[in-house]
Amino acid sequence: MNKKEIILSAKDVEVKFDLRGQILTAIRDVSLDIYHGETLAIVGESGSGKSVFTKTFNGLLDKNGTISKGELIYNGEDLAKYKKDRQWLKIRGHEIAMIMQEPMTSLNPLKSIGDQIVEAIRIRDRKISYSKAKNEAIGYLSDVGIRNPEDRFKQYPHEFSGGMRQRVVIAIAIACKPKILICDEPTTALDVTIQAQILTVLKEMKEKYSLTIVFITHDLGVVANVADRIAVMYAGDIIEIGTTDEIFFDPRHPYTWALLSSMPQLGIKGNDLFTIQGNPPNLFTEIKGDAFAPRNPHALKIDFLKRPPYFEVSETHKAKTWLLDPRAPRVDKPKGIMALQDLTAN
Amino acid sequence: MKEKEVLVDIKNLEVAFGTRKHRFVAVNDVSFQIYKGETFGVVGESGSGKTTIGRAIMRIHSTAKGDILYNGEKINGKISKSLDKQITQKIQMIFQDPMASLNERAKVNYIVSEGLMNLGKITEKERNERVTEALKEVGLLPEFASRFPHEFSGGQRQRIGIARALIMEPEFIIADEPISALDVSIRAQVLNLLDRLQKEKGLTYLFVAHDLSVMRFITDRIAVIHEGVIVELAETEELFAHPMHPYTKALLSAIPLPNPIAERNKTLLVYDKSMHHYETDKPQWCTLHEDHYIMANKEEFAAYKEAYESNR
């Protein structure tokens, strides 16, 4: 990862939703550079805006949502300015594809899975003959680890198990030959063993088709396996970003500490697990200062008054917390997190 | 926990669906005991029959073979009406998806107290008092009683589900994946709540889940189930330290670790059922060590035993 080529760059993106006259600010001035060929994980709780943010990349926001500010630069074009669906059709699937959480709802139950892949290939290449497209589709099926692809080609989604369906969804996404693949909690609905297999498939596909993967999840445990970099989101903002090792072994933002500490893997039997007090902020009202401050036991006075900027920890690691200001008092990381380093298999 | 008192005793349980040609055995010859005051975990993939066991104890599914004893009394099959009523009160269930398991047209007040009304006559005043008390116990405000489920967040909904179980003053709670639909931080809150309630009320839990990292934290003993058969059963730490059955090993290797270095060096084990040769030498439920049981045939058992002894 020495040569860092930016593939997509978000600058001060703000997304607002109009809910019957009330304005909800879901994304608050998020800037993010995604590098070519990396796997970037976006971690956050439900409602933190991680899905909404990535939906802006391919124009899938709900009708009442708009990008009210900022730029999304991809291939020299500003996606935030796209208004018509026709403009998006060039991007959606072809350049930036998406895999959803629930594989059953993203597949068409009335069409054989083979035809669904062929459909994707034909959108990319209109002149291709059916038999050629079929051969290609079978190739994709075997790529994602489906055995006897020739026979499976004719089968319908209900004949597949959850894990196999998710593989089919990956095959469809790849058939469009995208540059960026957004995976929105692709393994949340699956079992642990299947989850591990799907993560392996994603890694293989990334190598083979030189994809850039944006991986959305709420489970930090999953991320350690796949991600090169991690961005932690809270209340519509990326509050900390760094390489996977930096986030796990040297987290700086109190929210990241809290998120790491509440994992059951770190719990000591008989003791209470760590929990975050309070509730996430109301996004209908304007947030003053650091959004996490009311729930943060280490909060400083300034946290309630002024929104912290990014403080650089290293070249790749930055966090939005006043604790990193040179004038701030020294606050040590919670001890529990240190145990992460000793956590090995079994 | 020195003297272990058996609360639920399951003997050679078989649960089957369909008839003749379409007969499918979801739970096949399963035996285990749950002690009073412990948290017993059942882990397995989807379709392994873990939920079916819980439902069979709840009398939602009828059993094909075997016995389920609760406090020494048989509770499966045909039982007297009074025992049925007693069981309904003493065994309660918490479900996976709090949105799907709460009646969206009813107010919390009704949802929480529905079970009470089925149990016998109760005055309006007493009912309201019991609801208030149950809501307080799970950390919700009494005013919430007049609201609808959609007004709550996922974690709060799951608390309502727990309050609904608690109001019956149960002894034994079956929790079917109660936290897999929740966020990491909410998950921690619900786990703490369940833990506190167990300590305060001396509850016994049967915890059904597929997430082993959660199970390790909350359970005392774990049974690993694969395709309707329990393949290994041991105390939680014992199972994590010395997993012997290949399926258990595969399951443990798949746990995502929140440590990037460990993850990179991790090897994923895959379990293939065809590795067993059970045609002539049938597998049996063997005791590997005190409180550590495994499903194996004679040949395998010898190998497991040897590996187990040398590993300790």
Side-chain angles (χ1 to χ4, degrees):
Chain A
M1 284 233 304
N2 279 331
K3 281 180 284 163
K4 274 186 189 169
E5 198 187 317
I6 294 173
I7 185 162
L8 189 138
S9 165
K11 280 197 191 93
D12 297 319
V13 173
E14 186 184 71
V15 176
K16 284 188 169 166
F17 284 93
D18 184 344
L19 291 159
R20 291 189 220 125
Q22 278 187 301
I23 303 293
L24 182 143
T25 315
I27 303 295
R28 304 180 302 130
D29 310 320
V30 171
S31 301
L32 175 70
D33 289 334
I34 300 172
Y35 301 116
H36 188 82
E38 75 168 344
T39 303
L40 172 78
I42 301 182
V43 185
E45 290 176 77
S46 40
S48 61
K50 53 195 194 302
S51 289
V52 169
F53 181 52
T54 46
K55 275 181 183 171
T56 60
F57 298 172
N58 48 7
L60 286 175
L61 282 180
D62 287 346
K63 272 196 185 123
N64 58 351
T66 44
I67 304 176
S68 47
K69 221 174 73 186
E71 293 175 331
L72 277 168
I73 307 292
Y74 177 80
N75 254 350
E77 277 195 71
D78 184 3
L79 301 184
K81 296 233 159 51
Y82 279 18
K83 288 277 180 291
K84 288 191 196 111
D85 247 7
R86 196 145 31 105
Q87 292 169 302
W88 279 116
L89 284 180
K90 276 186 239 146
I91 300 290
R92 221 180 264 157
H94 299 279
E95 303 285 336
I96 304 173
M98 200 158 187
I99 294 171
M100 305 285 187
Q101 184 181 124
E102 181 54 63
M104 195 63 212
T105 49
S106 38
L107 290 171
N108 182 347
L110 300 176
K111 248 179 150 180
S112 74
I113 58 124
D115 281 348
Q116 295 187 47
I117 302 175
V118 167
E119 190 182 12
I121 296 171
R122 281 191 153 172
I123 289 172
R124 167 165 55 79
D125 184 355
R126 279 165 201 281
K127 290 190 191 105
I128 197 166
S129 71
Y130 184 84
S131 59
K132 244 186 177 171
K134 184 179 170 179
N135 281 336
E136 210 180 316
I138 289 172
Y140 291 128
L141 280 177
S142 71
D143 275 348
V144 293
I146 289 181
R147 271 179 238 160
N148 310 329
E150 286 90 357
D151 301 332
R152 294 294 238 169
F153 183 86
K154 293 180 227 109
Q155 288 184 322
Y156 289 83
H158 72 266
E159 296 173 83
F160 289 77
S161 66
M164 285 298 156
R165 269 179 221 149
Q166 197 59 289
R167 287 173 197 251
V168 172
V169 175
I170 295 173
I172 293 174
I174 285 164
C176 293
K177 299 216 166 131
K179 306 271 183 330
I180 303 179
L181 185 64
I182 300 169
C183 307
D184 192 349
E185 310 234 12
T187 59
T188 311
L190 304 173
D191 279 339
V192 215
T193 38
I194 312 294
Q195 167 174 307
Q197 292 167 13
I198 295 290
L199 292 179
T200 316
V201 169
L202 279 174
K203 266 195 228 163
E204 286 168 9
M205 293 304 104
K206 185 191 151 193
E207 292 305 315
K208 185 158 182 187
Y209 296 99
S210 58
L211 295 165
T212 304
I213 292 183
V214 179
F215 197 95
I216 306 173
T217 179
H218 68 262
D219 194 346
L220 273 161
V222 177
V223 169
N225 189 313
V226 287
D228 299 317
R229 285 201 305 154
I230 297 177
V232 183
M233 274 190 100
Y234 182 75
D237 196 4
I238 294 178
I239 49 115
E240 183 161 7
I241 184 164
T243 63
T244 307
D245 288 18
E246 282 165 342
I247 296 292
F248 275 101
F249 299 140
D250 188 22
R252 293 304 176 104
H253 198 286
Y255 178 67
T256 317
W257 296 345
L259 211 56
L260 286 168
S261 313
S262 53
M263 282 190 297
Q265 284 96 327
L266 286 182
I268 298 157
K269 219 182 210 153
N271 293 11
D272 266 6
L273 269 179
F274 178 86
T275 55
I276 308 174
Q277 299 302 319
N279 289 311
N282 184 354
L283 294 171
F284 283 111
T285 52
E286 199 189 331
I287 293 167
K288 229 179 162 192
D290 185 352
F292 187 59
R295 305 172 78 185
N296 181 5
H298 310 292
L300 310 169
K301 253 187 208 153
I302 192 167
D303 274 326
F304 293 96
L305 301 170
K306 206 171 165 202
R307 193 168 170 188
Y310 276 126
F311 287 95
E312 266 192 28
V313 180
S314 74
E315 227 174 278
T316 49
H317 186 186
K318 53 189 180 177
K320 275 188 181 173
T321 167
W322 286 113
L323 288 179
L324 290 172
D325 193 274
R327 286 161 293 179
R330 210 180 120 86
V331 176
D332 283 325
K333 276 171 233 151
K335 283 200 190 79
I337 294 178
M338 300 304 189
L340 274 176
Q341 289 170 32
D342 312 323
L343 209 68
T344 46
N346 295 324
Chain B
M1 286 257 294
K2 271 279 142 264
E3 298 155 47
K4 286 172 189 163
E5 200 183 322
V6 176
L7 184 72
V8 182
D9 192 354
I10 292 172
K11 286 180 186 159
N12 306 97
L13 178 71
E14 183 178 313
V15 181
F17 297 109
T19 48
R20 285 194 199 103
K21 236 165 121 189
H22 304 289
R23 192 176 146 92
F24 175 76
V25 181
V27 176
N28 190 359
D29 198 15
V30 161
S31 309
F32 61 88
Q33 295 175 325
I34 301 174
Y35 303 127
K36 207 163 197 165
E38 78 166 344
T39 305
F40 188 85
V42 177
V43 203
E45 295 173 53
S46 42
S48 61
K50 56 191 196 301
T51 302
T52 312
I53 293 180
R55 287 171 168 247
I57 301 173
M58 283 292 289
R59 296 177 54 75
I60 296 174
H61 292 322
S62 55
T63 54
K65 259 186 227 157
D67 291 326
I68 303 172
L69 303 181
Y70 182 80
N71 263 338
E73 266 183 295
K74 184 172 150 86
I75 58 162
N76 63 327
K78 273 195 179 142
I79 59 169
S80 72
K81 237 180 180 173
S82 67
L83 182 61
D84 187 36
K85 213 162 203 181
Q86 220 181 332
I87 293 305
T88 331
Q89 184 239 319
K90 285 195 176 140
I91 308 180
Q92 286 292 313
M93 198 157 181
I94 300 170
F95 296 92
Q96 173 173 13
D97 186 343
M99 197 64 233
S101 63
L102 301 178
N103 182 351
E104 58 189 275
R105 287 164 174 247
K107 287 183 178 165
V108 169
N109 189 328
Y110 177 80
I111 293 172
V112 173
S113 63
E114 194 175 7
L116 278 183
M117 289 188 266
N118 286 334
L119 212 60
K121 282 208 176 99
I122 183 167
T123 61
E124 186 66 21
K125 191 169 158 251
E126 198 188 338
R127 191 173 69 94
N128 284 334
E129 275 169 16
R130 297 271 295 268
V131 170
T132 309
E133 196 190 325
L135 287 179
K136 269 189 196 154
E137 241 162 347
V138 296
L140 294 174
L141 297 171
E143 325 45 310
F144 288 178
S146 57
R147 293 194 193 166
F148 288 100
H150 73 257
E151 297 175 68
F152 296 95
S153 67
Q156 285 174 325
R157 274 182 217 143
Q158 197 55 284
R159 282 164 195 263
I160 296 172
I162 297 171
R164 170 170 67 177
L166 279 182
I167 203 165
M168 304 295 286
E169 292 171 349
E171 291 174 348
F172 180 50
I173 290 185
I174 298 168
D176 189 357
E177 307 243 14
I179 44 162
S180 44
L182 304 173
D183 268 335
V184 189
S185 65
I186 311 291
R187 193 153 70 178
Q189 290 173 9
V190 173
L191 284 176
N192 286 347
L193 174 69
L194 288 173
D195 194 41
R196 198 195 71 205
L197 291 171
Q198 180 171 43
K199 278 178 194 149
E200 282 175 11
K201 296 177 179 291
L203 295 170
T204 307
Y205 289 135
L206 172 64
F207 217 89
V208 175
H210 70 259
D211 188 346
L212 271 160
S213 52
V214 173
M215 291 299 249
R216 184 177 200 171
F217 175 70
I218 196 160
T219 59
D220 299 313
R221 290 191 306 147
I222 293 185
V224 181
I225 182 165
H226 183 251
E227 295 187 354
V229 181
I230 293 187
V231 295
E232 195 164 3
L233 193 162
E235 276 176 14
T236 305
E237 281 314 309
E238 162 85 11
L239 188 80
F240 274 83
H242 308 287
M244 291 318 294
H245 197 277
Y247 180 66
T248 315
K249 284 184 183 170
L251 213 55
L252 288 178
S253 81
I255 302 177
L257 295 166
N259 179 329
I261 295 169
E263 273 292 332
R264 267 167 231 149
N265 303 328
K266 186 168 91 169
T267 45
L268 207 61
L269 300 171
V270 179
Y271 175 63
D272 187 1
K273 219 185 160 190
S274 59
M275 66 182 289
H276 299 294
H277 301 287
Y278 286 161
E279 295 83 17
T280 51
D281 196 357
K282 290 271 181 260
Q284 273 177 326
W285 195 224
C286 313
T287 311
L288 196 59
H289 191 72
E290 200 193 340
D291 277 334
H292 191 159
Y293 308 92
I294 195 164
M295 186 61 97
N297 63 16
K298 284 187 194 105
E299 194 189 330
E300 283 175 328
F301 183 67
Y304 290 147
K305 185 100 183 161
E306 199 190 321
Y308 183 76
E309 300 296 343
S310 64
N311 236 327
R312 275 180 80 84

